[in-house]
Every structure is written in C-alpha cells, then in structure tokens.
Amino acid sequence: MGTAERFEKVSAIIEKHGREAHKLIPILQEIQEEYSYLPEDLMLYLAKEIGVPAASVYGVATFYAHFTLEAKGKYIIKVCDGTACHVKKSEGILKVLEEELGLDKKKRTSDDMLFTLETVACLGACGLAPVVVVNDKVHGAMTPEKTRELIQAIRKEEAENA
C-alpha cells in the first residue's frame, strides 16, 4: 500500500468520525485495526486533521496499553506468565520462542514480520497452564517441545501458502 493510499484510508476514518477531537480514541483504534499499529506519520497527520497537538495524540497512544507504536507480526504470540503458568514453567516456553524466532527482551517482532512475542500477566485459562495464545487460538498444556512444533507448523503453513 502506497503512502497516498495510507493517508486516504486515514482521511476516510477521520471523516467517519466527523473530524472531532473528542473522538481521538476511536479514530486511533480504527487506524490501529487497519495497520496493526500506530505509524508515526499517520498520528501526525491525524493531529493536524482534527486540530489537536501532536503531543496529545502521542500521549493518548502511549498511555493506553491497547495501543502500540511498533509494527507487529502476522502472528501475535502471547505467553502467559500468571501464577499457574509460571509455576508450570512458562519461562521455558518463552526461552524456546525467543530462540526459534530470534527475539529477546527488547526485540519482540521477528525480522520476517511473521511473529510478535508478548508476555501477559494472565490469559484466564489457568486450568490449561501453561498457555500460549497465537492470534486468538489458545494452546494449553504447552511444553518447550510442543511450542517448537507449533512454530514449525506455522512456518510450514506459511511456506505452503506463499
């Protein structure tokens, strides 16, 4: 998608909300839904178009945990580190994912933009601990080996669909 197309899409989102500054959060939500993150150039454009300081847009985008300023991969992997999962060795799963995907504490998205790794406090599936969620699919009773197999299966599927 070209730059002009990106700005046209954001313009349509802004128009839909009547160019009203008090609708900043729903506008940001729609932009993030479209791009899976909030690109800086589009936030600056939004600020100009609805007549608010860029710092205000940035402040809202960084205040709410729901928003992200970094591009995410096609597959969002959430590893639960709540009490039940932690006790059942979720840190081993996290280590395998970091190794398999070439990630670390600072780098959370793979170079191929296929995977983004997140650690969450609780996924609410304690009976299935340890739990890994890939996009919206829950994988329970995970082990490091099952996790490695899951990543390999996703990569295989991606290669077949390419």
Side-chain angles (χ1 to χ4, degrees), residues 8-81:
E8 286 175 24
K9 279 194 178 266
V10 171
S11 288
I13 292 168
I14 294 168
E15 287 300 326
K16 177 179 158 186
H17 291 279
R19 296 185 170 277
E20 297 183 42
H22 73 275
K23 295 193 176 175
L24 176 60
I25 291 174
I27 294 170
L28 286 171
Q29 287 171 324
E30 282 196 50
I31 293 171
Q32 181 164 294
E33 188 174 315
E34 181 69 32
Y35 299 100
S36 77
Y37 77 111
L38 296 172
E40 183 179 349
D41 60 339
L42 297 181
M43 287 194 303
L44 292 171
Y45 177 73
L46 169 61
K48 182 178 143 226
E49 292 297 304
I50 65 172
V52 300
S56 295
V57 174
Y58 182 79
V60 169
T62 57
F63 178 79
Y64 293 101
H66 167 73
F67 293 124
T68 182
L69 304 181
E70 294 180 17
K72 292 190 175 191
K74 180 177 179 179
Y75 297 93
I76 309 298
I77 302 170
K78 296 180 182 179
V79 177
C80 183
D81 197 37

Side-chain angles (χ1 to χ4, degrees), residues 99-151:
E99 289 169 11
E100 282 288 314
L101 305 175
L103 303 176
D104 57 36
K105 299 283 183 230
K106 291 185 181 184
K107 181 181 177 194
R108 302 315 278 169
T109 298
S110 60
D111 291 337
D112 59 7
M113 294 301 292
L114 205 52
F115 300 98
T116 295
L117 180 58
E118 299 177 351
T119 304
V120 296
C122 184
L123 288 167
C126 303
L128 301 173
V131 176
V132 172
V133 174
V134 179
N135 292 343
D136 292 323
K137 187 171 181 190
V138 177
H139 301 270
M142 294 300 284
T143 63
E145 189 51 43
K146 283 185 183 177
T147 303
R148 194 178 314 277
E149 290 169 4
L150 175 62
I151 296 303

